[in-house]
Amino acid sequence: MADALTRPIPTPGDLAAAAHRRAAAEAPGQRYDRRVWEQAVMAGDLHANARLVALILAHHAGDSGYLPAGNVQDARNLTVEAGLRGRYVRLSLTQLEHDGYIARPSIHGWDEPRPRPVTLTLPPAGVRREPPSTGGAGE
């Protein structure tokens, strides 16, 4: 019990870093499938801006679903490519990370001037995967 009281509480950055490490560890054994990832993005409950940013990331990701540090995941580059304001791109990246579509190392331990690397990941099983109902005559 005393150990649980002295153990530090993980920050969201710690959780993101752990997700990034998990995704990187699973990558060699589990082949990234862009089609499956894009289907999850399209069926997910994402804002349209986040969906656009996700599809741009998928377009630029390698066969493993990994984007190395720097390059397209820089919010300044994504604003140009997506035609969105920087604030909306940053919010979209945060939503994608929070919902489990991407993993990035913690910003708190990131000392490089380049943007953090991104690994495209599938959200946990509890995340809704089918499109929301449009309502119909039977409802």
Side-chain angles (χ1 to χ4, degrees):
M1 176 79 173
D3 183 44
L5 295 176
T6 59
R7 191 176 325 135
I9 298 172
T11 66
D14 295 334
L15 298 174
H20 181 75
R21 285 191 300 272
R22 240 187 344 269
E26 293 171 359
Q30 182 181 30
R31 181 130 174 95
Y32 165 74
D33 186 339
R34 179 177 167 179
R35 184 183 56 78
V36 171
W37 190 83
E38 287 178 349
Q39 284 176 341
V41 166
M42 295 306 292
D45 194 21
L46 292 171
H47 187 276
N49 293 344
R51 187 171 288 132
L52 174 61
V53 169
L55 295 175
I56 290 170
L57 291 174
H59 175 74
H60 290 286
D63 290 341
S64 65
Y66 180 74
L67 294 151
N71 209 352
V72 72
Q73 68 270 29
D74 183 346
R76 292 170 294 205
N77 294 339
L78 284 169
T79 59
V80 172
E81 196 160 348
L84 299 172
R85 290 186 172 172
R87 176 174 187 252
Y88 299 129
V89 168
R90 288 186 296 278
L91 286 170
S92 297
L93 288 169
T94 300
Q95 181 185 10
L96 291 169
E97 185 172 14
H98 179 267
D99 290 357
Y101 291 96
I102 65 172
R104 301 184 286 181
S106 171
I107 195 162
H108 300 294
W110 191 256
D111 295 332
E112 295 186 39
R114 301 178 302 162
R116 296 173 285 162
V118 170
T119 302
L120 306 182
T121 59
L122 286 174
V127 174
R128 186 176 179 161
R129 294 261 167 90
E130 67 275 352
S133 173
T134 57
E139 291 183 6

